[in-house]
């Protein structure tokens, strides 16, 4: 059986200085188009807010304002479509109301909705060429096979793209649609996974996944720049000190100087490089897990609540605020939610399944005897059961992973239904490894 699959592919663009200016002008025009459309929409009476009227207003604006015409007509229509979708998400309760896009806090992007405009060709093993409307042919890094040329048809093709700028430069995000054979059910074993700080991904069978980047700073807090090497950390420290020194000379209410902005850009580049390395490790690790295991079980975590500050209020100040803030940074760096998202679609692609179980007491319960004894969880890394009839000890994350798998086998898997989670009772036998 054939199954349609839609995914995105991101590649770095090799733009010339002239092309950088053209693409940046288009991105600023798209941002300005959004802001003008937002002002027009909010000032009109509700009975006159229609899609046809907004389309006519955009067409007239591109005729009257010269610098808006640098944005291709189809990209302007994409801005209109995205704006209406933002209001739809707001009305349905999925997001807040759309607002004004500022110049320095908005990611520069340009949408290319039609895949036929891209005209992608492969030059050789490392490079390809993509056509950007009103810019021309641009080279990009070729890192995977794409349905172009003779391999492209109605079922296997590139449906569109988006140009996005980050701290490392301009990238093209291609929207790819393919027709693939539905995967056979995965015959691999079951595994429970506990996301932690000491061990990033602890597995119930002991095959833990560690990225080997857990250096500690004085005081025991996790290193926030663990994905940078020693030279990059030293460079980042010099740049931050230089930025703080130059910022001390800026008068209140004055804009930052161009020299200070360049320092901020260099800092952002190092941060983006670290983020890309972390994402690459997550992709490789989750792919290997999806290929190895047929059933993957994780906890249903309320991450926003877990990383909430312990500062408290003036009347009721919090305790151990510095330690809690360090733990919050470590949790945010591991990006547990992104790991679960990757596992969700990768297990489905390889024929496996991903299940979620309730999170309470998985780190406090002993996976050997099944009792919750006060004082068993010593710290973030060690679990030693205080039950005099048990006495099992080991890594705390490994103990939690065993409990996660046990909950699934006992039928406590959660299934989202009508916006909430319900418990599905499954038949299972308590395994010897989890007793």
């Amino acid at each position: 059986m054939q199954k349609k699959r839609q995914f995105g592919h991101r590649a770095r663009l090799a733009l010339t200085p002239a092309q950088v200016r053209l693409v940046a002008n288009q991105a600023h025009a798209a941002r300005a188009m959004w802001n003008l459309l937002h002002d027009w929409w909010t000032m009109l009476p509700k009975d006159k807010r229609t899609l046809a009227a907004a389309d006519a207003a955009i067409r007239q604006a591109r005729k009257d304002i010269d610098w808006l015409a640098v944005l291709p007509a189809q990209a302007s229509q994409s801005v209109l479509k995205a704006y209406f979708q933002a209001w739809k998400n707001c009305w349905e309760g999925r997001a807040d109301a759309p607002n004004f896009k500022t110049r320095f806090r908005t990611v520069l992007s340009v949408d290319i909705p039609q895949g036929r405009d891209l005209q992608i060709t492969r030059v050789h093993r490392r490079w390809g060429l993509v056509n950007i409307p009103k810019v021309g042919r641009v080279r990009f890094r070729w890192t995977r096979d794409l349905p172009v040329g003779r391999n492209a048809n109605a079922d296997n093709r590139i449906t569109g793209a988006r140009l996005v700028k980050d701290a490392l430069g301009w990238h093209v995000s291609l929207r790819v649609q393919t027709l693939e054979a539905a995967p056979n059910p995965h015959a691999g074993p079951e595994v429970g996974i506990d996301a932690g700080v000491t061990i990033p991904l602890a597995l119930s069978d002991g095959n833990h996944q560690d990225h080997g980047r857990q250096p500690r700073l004085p005081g025991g807090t996790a290193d926030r720049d663990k994905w940078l090497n020693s030279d990059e950390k030293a460079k980042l420290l010099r740049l931050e000190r230089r930025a703080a020194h130059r910022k001390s000379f800026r008068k209140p209410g004055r804009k930052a100087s161009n020299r200070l902005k360049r320092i901020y850009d260099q800092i952002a580049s190092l941060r983006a490089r670290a983020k890309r390395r972390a994402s690459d490790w997550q992709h490789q690790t989750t792919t290997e897990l999806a290929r190895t295991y047929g059933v993957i079980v994780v906890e249903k975590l309320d991450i926003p609540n877990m990383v909430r500050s312990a500062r408290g209020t003036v009347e009721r100040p919090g305790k151990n605020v510095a330690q809690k803030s360090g733990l919050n940074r470590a949790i945010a760096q591991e990006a547990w939610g992104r790991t679960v998202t990757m596992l969700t679609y990768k297990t489905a692609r390889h024929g496996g399944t991903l299940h979620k179980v309730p999170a309470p007491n998985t780190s406090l319960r002993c996976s050997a005897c099944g009792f919750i004894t006060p004082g068993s969880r010593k710290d973030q890394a060690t679990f030693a059961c205080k039950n005099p009839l048990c006495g099992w000890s080991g890594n705390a994350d490994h103990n939690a992973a065993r409990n996660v798998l046990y909950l699934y086998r006992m039928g406590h898997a959660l299934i989202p239904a009508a916006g909430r989670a319900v418990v599905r009772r499954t038949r299972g036998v308590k395994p010897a490894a989890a007793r």
Side-chain angles (χ1 to χ4, degrees):
M1 185 179 69
Q2 299 292 319
K3 182 179 180 180
K4 279 190 176 182
R5 175 174 172 245
Q6 295 181 346
F7 62 95
H9 174 63
R10 186 181 177 98
R12 181 182 295 189
L13 294 173
L15 297 168
T16 64
Q19 291 174 339
V20 169
R21 289 192 295 270
L22 292 175
V23 176
N25 290 338
Q26 289 189 13
H28 285 297
R31 181 186 59 83
M33 183 76 72
W34 173 285
N35 293 335
L36 292 174
L37 182 61
H38 181 65
D39 291 340
W40 175 87
W41 179 272
T42 53
M43 288 188 298
L44 277 182
K46 291 185 178 181
D47 56 342
K48 295 184 180 181
R49 299 175 182 176
T50 62
L51 182 62
D55 180 61
I58 283 181
R59 293 176 184 272
Q60 187 63 36
R62 296 184 72 250
K63 293 179 181 179
D64 298 340
I65 305 175
D66 295 338
W67 51 270
L68 283 180
V70 301
L71 187 66
Q74 293 182 348
S76 302
Q77 295 298 318
S78 295
V79 174
L80 175 61
K81 182 179 179 181
Y83 186 77
F84 267 73
Q85 183 63 40
W87 274 114
K88 185 177 179 180
N89 295 338
C90 174
W91 296 330
E92 296 178 358
R94 295 194 299 267
D96 295 333
N99 51 21
F100 187 86
K101 290 188 175 183
T102 61
R103 180 181 180 89
F104 297 106
R105 295 187 179 181
T106 302
V107 177
L108 294 180
S109 63
V110 181
D111 193 62
I112 306 176
Q114 299 294 337
R116 62 173 179 267
D117 295 336
L118 299 173
Q119 302 175 11
I120 296 178
T121 58
R122 186 172 185 177
V123 179
H124 53 77
R125 184 170 62 92
R126 294 180 178 272
W127 292 96
L129 284 176
V130 58
N131 180 69
I132 299 177
K134 294 193 174 184
V135 175
R137 304 288 284 176
V138 179
R139 293 191 306 160
F140 70 94
R141 294 287 295 179
W142 191 281
T143 55
R144 66 170 300 165
D145 292 332
L146 297 172
V148 297
R150 297 180 180 179
N151 297 327
N153 51 50
D155 297 323
N156 299 275
R157 58 194 176 94
I158 296 176
T159 60
R162 178 180 289 270
L163 307 179
V164 182
K165 183 184 180 182
D166 60 11
L168 298 176
W170 283 95
H171 296 74
V172 57
S173 296
L174 303 173
R175 295 187 286 269
V176 186
Q177 173 184 305
T178 59
L179 187 64
E180 300 178 352
N184 297 323
H186 201 300
E190 301 173 344
V191 66
I193 298 180
D194 176 74
V197 176
T198 305
I199 300 178
L201 296 178
L203 275 60
S204 58
D205 58 0
N207 186 21
H208 307 317
Q209 303 296 315
D210 189 2
H211 44 57
R213 296 175 179 267
Q214 294 291 340
R216 297 287 171 176
L217 294 177
T221 58
D223 188 355
R224 63 174 183 171
D225 303 317
K226 60 187 176 184
W227 291 99
L228 300 177
N229 57 38
S230 57
D231 293 339
E232 291 169 339
K233 290 180 182 179
K235 180 180 179 180
L236 179 61
L237 182 60
R238 290 196 304 268
L239 291 173
E240 289 178 340
R241 289 177 175 176
R242 193 179 303 169
H245 177 70
R246 297 193 184 281
K247 187 178 179 180
S248 64
F249 293 98
R250 189 178 64 181
K251 296 181 180 180
R254 299 289 297 274
K255 294 183 179 180
S257 63
N258 293 332
R259 186 177 297 177
L260 182 57
K261 290 180 182 178
R262 285 194 294 268
I263 297 176
Y264 285 153
D265 290 341
Q266 293 177 2
I267 294 175
S269 178
L270 289 173
R271 298 287 188 197
R273 189 179 304 174
K275 182 180 179 180
R276 187 173 61 175
R277 290 172 182 170
S279 178
D280 179 69
W281 179 84
Q282 283 184 308
H283 272 291
Q284 295 189 34
T285 304
T286 52
T287 300
E288 183 63 24
L289 292 175
R291 290 174 178 173
T292 305
Y293 300 99
V295 176
I296 297 178
V297 189
V298 298
E299 297 175 292
K300 183 176 177 58
L301 299 174
D302 187 3
I303 300 177
N305 187 43
M306 294 176 64
V307 298
R308 187 171 298 171
S309 175
R311 186 175 304 170
T313 60
V314 177
E315 294 79 9
R316 301 180 62 183
K319 298 180 180 180
N320 299 326
V321 178
Q323 292 85 343
K324 183 61 169 63
S325 62
L327 178 61
N328 292 347
R329 287 196 300 269
I331 293 174
Q333 277 191 330
E334 295 300 334
W336 295 342
R338 187 169 59 190
T339 300
V340 174
T341 301
M342 292 180 181
L343 285 173
T344 301
Y345 71 82
K346 290 183 180 181
T347 51
R349 186 183 178 189
H350 289 85
T353 56
L354 183 134
H355 301 275
K356 295 182 180 181
V357 296
N361 297 327
T362 54
S363 61
L364 301 178
R365 175 185 178 274
C366 178
S367 60
C369 66
F371 286 93
I372 300 176
T373 308
S376 297
R377 181 69 183 267
K378 293 184 177 181
D379 49 34
Q380 288 290 332
T382 308
F383 184 93
C385 184
K386 295 299 182 181
N387 183 3
L389 300 178
C390 178
W392 183 89
S393 62
N395 182 270
D397 295 332
H398 183 206
N399 176 73
R402 286 156 56 100
N403 287 327
V404 167
L405 181 59
Y406 171 74
L407 287 175
Y408 166 74
R409 289 177 173 175
M410 290 297 101
H412 295 281
L414 298 174
I415 296 180
R420 59 186 180 90
V422 299
V423 177
R424 176 173 66 91
R425 293 291 180 182
T426 59
R427 299 178 61 185
V429 180
K430 185 176 180 180
R435 290 174 183 170

